[in-house]
Amino acid sequence: MEGILSPSHPLSPHRALRELGWLAQPLVAAAPRSLWEQDTQSLPPAAAAYRRRVRRFAQRELAPRALELDLQREPQLIERVLEAAGRAGLLSDLLPAPLGSIPPGLLRVPFTLAQSLKMEELCAACAGLGLMVGASALGAVPLVLAGQPRALARHVVPAFRHSLRSRPALFAFAITEPSGGSDVEESEGALRYVPGTVARRAPGGWRLHGRKVFISGGALAQRVTVFAALEGEGMESWTCFVVGRGAPGFSVARTELKMGQRASEAAELVFDGVFVPDADVVGGLRRGWGLNRAVLNASRVPVGAIALGIARGALEGALDFAASARLAGKGLLDYQDVQLGLAQMLIEVQAMRALVWQSANTWRPAQARASIAKVFASDAALRVCEAALELLGNHGVLHARRVEKQLRDARLTQIYEGTNQINRLAILEEQQTWLASAPHGQP
Amino acid sequence: MTSPRTPRSRWLELGAPPSVEQRNARGAVERYLERAVRPLAERPERVPTAAQLGEVRRLAEELGLLAAPAASGLGLWEEPSVAGCRWSVGLLHRVARESATAALCLHHAALGLLLGRRLGVEDAAPWPWLYAELGLDKGLRGAALGAPPVSEAAPAEPELAPLGAGEAGRPLLLGAAEPWSALLLPRWSDARRLSWWRLPRATLELTPAPHALGLDGLSTWQVRAPRLGELLLEDVAAALALYREVLALDALGLVGIGLGATEGALAAAKDYAALRRQGGKLIVEHVAVRLLLSGAEANVLSVQALLADMTLRPEALARVLALRSVAHPQLCEAASHALQVFGGTGYLQDTGIERRLRDNYHLRLLAGTPTDLRLTALAMEDGR
């Protein structure tokens, strides 16, 4: 690269550090590997191995199909990808083997971190397909968090085993309603919200009435965890129910045409008197709001990882272009403005990863940290995609270059799992006691 | 509760106070929008067809908005005065409020016609000339950074080579609406020599290269030209003057189109905010939403001011390019804010908001990215 000393030059830090004494060698990075590799090596061995495995899977199964599925959702092709994901254990990694597919070593890694590692790798290859995989985990999380052995045995374990052995058995998470997007994701809105999906008492169970919208994976899921208020009560009565795909009264009204993440459909689901037995109430009556917020706290960091993966994909696309293109007799990488642009993208991606991993590395995902990671990463992803497009110039508009797809994909991360505006308020909601107390400089 | 409309610059209202000609022209514009442009916007999720875009150009000609008699001053980019520039920018802006794709079709067709007139080219085909936005590419940016100012199309050798013959890995890209029959384009043969050429379509090797960012309905090709084509203008000073003129008009048009698309997005966002309820009240009453709307509005007003300045002195090319480099990022941010007001609904193709954001991102990459524009403007300022 013009203007940058090669590693073999006597003044290159690579060479100079190598020539330091043996005492210094353990304390200096004389031959640094790629940033991805350095980060991977910083993980516990099981997590590092998992990250490498998911990356190989994503490059083999997702990346080659990403562009085709972005132009047209081909159900059979998506089914094949999901089958492969299921067999690879990526649809059942919320429970340890043999109930699910978490390998023993990975059990010591918080599941939000494992999910974040997975989502970055999948979404670096294709955010739409990555979301299909991730949305299934999201749908199963309420059941796992509720911790009811009977519900796990009745729904989660059979689905996970089915995914591992034959065809994918997906879950979907259904909270958003036509008249309530943000209201179902933050308390202030919920306070005044009149629930649109209602559970009416029936002999032996409940009947659900209403609609849910923008449900990722909703049209393909075998089971949907649906949140509904009890008839005549407000949002404080929210309860989670499991609805099977074939339940009478359950239907998919439509799937949306979206700006990006097109391989994953966003479905509108109709519940027209769907019967749910008492056994399929998740976590108990009127526990849905807490369950919902716990799920969001666990899922917002992986959404940050989705944004991170998209940004990394855009960065890699820009690097590939810069390394291969020539301009006015010089390689693009020889231009200092290109070098500076790439450096800034690397900075953004590293900052996103540091924040996502730090926020994910806990067994108790907390609201503020989850929202901070989600907001920062999704905003930064847009900046990285814009910078990548800038580097490609008019070639950036081409579908085959992938970067414009990554920009379209990234834009959704600022919206789902609560808009970034709602997430900012969520940070204050959790931290309000501390914020209201003064002085803040005291321990 | 209703939301106030974004105030528009007076001159963007297609001329006020109107002369008789302008009144007639405004009527023509309204008829044009109704018949040719609005049908494109009725179903935003649908990609405009070649026939629809052909109608955009045909009807513009029929109504005198394109290829009108030069004396009328109403045809797009036909009148070189400040008033003429403002009329053209205002027309593109108005069309782009409904459809940026339609506006860009008109814009490039009009620049092609202008070039045809300047270069003395005649052709029997109805839309023979295509302005290919090849002028300000990264090759010229290379010039701004000290490399020889060859375009992507031409290699660094002093003699002009066939189009696309050099610079492996960077084929020339052409985005356009059908029909077209020839390219008129500037080509550098060395750091100082510019000439204008005509390349008949039949002599070009065109490989479709689908784009998906924005401006749905336009086609993109990778272009190679085994033969040099017909030399139209060799005089370096004249060629450069024409080049500068077209670059400036292109910059004005692209910003005008982006502004129109963004104002359309902002108006839709305000309408939605005045209807949609969250948290027990209209979302326009939430400060979070008002911050988005006011931020978008501030960006729109800023670009209106920039555009007004650009049209005052289109011959000040460095200034025009520098201002354009600032305008597009602001428009993207404003359109993005408008989308965010819609929440998940804004991400759906049915609403048309996401299309306006995509269009803005696409426009931002045409004829020089913001970085290219800034570096080129600085190079012009310090005489490189």
Side-chain angles (χ1 to χ4, degrees), chain B residues 113-142:
Chain B
L113 289 165
L114 177 143
L115 279 172
R117 285 194 300 275
R118 294 278 201 281
L119 295 168
V121 182
E122 293 183 6
D123 198 301
W127 298 108
W129 321 128
L130 189 72
Y131 168 70
E133 49 97 13
L134 313 173
L136 189 61
D137 53 23
K138 286 190 181 298
L140 187 61
R141 192 278 303 270

Side-chain angles (χ1 to χ4, degrees), chain A residues 378-391:
Chain A
S378 57
D379 287 351
L382 257 290
R383 292 195 296 271
V384 171
C385 290
E386 287 177 2
L389 277 181
E390 174 100 356
L391 193 147

Side-chain angles (χ1 to χ4, degrees), chain B:
Chain B
M1 182 169 177
T2 57
S3 301
R5 291 284 169 197
T6 304
R8 285 189 227 158
S9 289
R10 206 173 166 210
W11 63 270
L12 278 173
E13 297 290 352
L14 297 173
S19 64
V20 172
E21 289 82 3
Q22 284 171 328
R23 274 201 297 274
N24 291 339
R26 289 205 300 199
V29 170
E30 282 309 313
R31 287 197 298 281
Y32 176 66
L33 293 173
E34 196 58 40
R35 287 166 59 187
V37 183
R38 289 205 180 101
L40 298 181
E42 281 171 0
R43 296 287 301 271
E45 76 279 14
R46 291 186 179 168
V47 176
T49 63
Q52 286 175 313
L53 294 177
E55 184 69 2
V56 163
R57 292 201 285 187
R58 191 198 64 75
L59 201 59
E61 183 188 27
E62 183 183 309
L63 295 171
L65 303 174
L66 200 57
S72 76
L74 298 179
L76 191 56
W77 298 130
E78 289 190 0
E79 170 58 51
S81 65
V82 169
C85 275
R86 289 190 160 191
W87 163 260
S88 295
V89 171
L91 175 58
L92 291 173
H93 165 269
R94 187 70 192 85
V95 173
R97 277 181 71 97
E98 313 287 341
S99 166
T101 298
L104 195 73
C105 278
L106 278 184
H107 175 53
H108 278 181
L111 287 179
L113 289 165
L114 177 143
L115 279 172
R117 285 194 300 275
R118 294 278 201 281
L119 295 168
V121 182
E122 293 183 6
D123 198 301
W127 298 108
W129 321 128
L130 189 72
Y131 168 70
E133 49 97 13
L134 313 173
L136 189 61
D137 53 23
K138 286 190 181 298
L140 187 61
R141 192 278 303 270
L145 293 171
V150 291
S151 78
E152 292 176 36
E157 289 77 33
E159 292 303 317
L160 192 67
L163 191 64
E167 301 292 2
R170 285 184 64 81
L172 173 69
L173 284 184
L174 169 65
E178 298 282 10
W180 58 277
S181 60
L183 291 180
L184 299 176
L185 60 118
R187 302 172 76 175
W188 297 93
S189 51
D190 63 30
R192 303 283 172 197
R193 287 166 52 198
L194 183 74
S195 51
W196 282 89
W197 296 73
R198 177 179 184 273
L199 286 85
R201 182 169 182 163
T203 67
L204 300 174
E205 292 174 4
L206 298 169
T207 307
H211 69 262
L213 181 52
L215 301 172
D216 300 344
L218 297 185
S219 300
T220 311
W221 297 271
Q222 290 183 1
V223 184
R224 291 187 189 280
R227 280 173 282 174
L228 285 178
E230 178 189 357
L231 177 62
L232 298 176
L233 181 58
E234 200 171 12
D235 179 83
V236 173
L240 198 57
L242 181 58
Y243 178 62
R244 292 172 63 95
E245 179 186 1
V246 175
L247 282 183
L249 298 184
D250 194 22
L252 291 174
L254 292 172
V255 174
I257 293 168
L259 179 61
T262 307
E263 286 186 10
L266 180 55
K270 287 180 174 179
D271 288 345
Y272 184 79
L275 290 173
R276 173 74 170 174
R277 299 183 73 83
Q278 295 272 196
K281 56 187 177 184
L282 294 171
I283 64 171
V284 74
E285 294 169 23
H286 289 277
V287 173
V289 171
R290 298 187 74 79
L291 285 170
L292 290 169
L293 290 172
S294 59
E297 182 132 335
N299 278 332
V300 162
L301 292 171
S302 169
V303 175
Q304 286 177 358
L306 291 176
L307 192 51
D309 188 287
M310 290 165 73
T311 55
L312 277 179
R313 290 178 58 211
E315 72 281 4
L317 183 58
R319 184 180 175 85
V320 166
L321 299 182
L323 292 176
R324 186 185 160 222
S325 80
V326 178
H328 285 298
Q330 289 191 355
L331 292 172
C332 288
E333 183 176 280
S336 190
H337 282 352
L339 188 155
Q340 193 73 2
V341 169
F342 281 78
T345 304
Y347 201 70
L348 307 184
Q349 293 177 10
D350 317 48
T351 62
I353 297 299
E354 61 85 35
R355 177 173 55 79
R356 293 176 186 275
L357 177 59
R358 289 190 290 110
D359 288 345
N360 264 300
Y361 274 120
H362 196 131
L363 290 166
R364 176 175 166 163
L365 300 178
L366 298 182
T369 65
T371 304
D372 299 334
L373 295 169
R374 283 196 294 274
L375 289 171
T376 305
L378 182 63
M380 288 177 174
E381 288 292 313
D382 60 18
R384 298 175 69 175

Side-chain angles (χ1 to χ4, degrees), chain A residues 268-309:
Chain A
E268 179 173 346
L269 307 181
V270 177
F271 303 89
D272 186 10
V274 175
F275 179 75
V276 182
D278 285 328
D280 286 345
V281 172
V282 182
L285 295 175
R286 300 181 184 83
R287 299 285 169 82
W289 185 247
L291 206 49
N292 172 43
R293 300 304 295 265
V295 172
L296 292 176
N297 290 348
S299 65
R300 282 174 173 163
V301 184
V303 167
I306 291 175
L308 164 62

Side-chain angles (χ1 to χ4, degrees), chain A residues 13-36:
Chain A
H14 293 75
R15 187 164 161 180
L17 290 175
R18 270 201 311 274
E19 290 171 357
L20 292 177
W22 65 271
L23 262 175
Q25 286 306 315
L27 303 174
V28 298
R33 299 182 177 183
S34 71
L35 289 167
W36 188 92

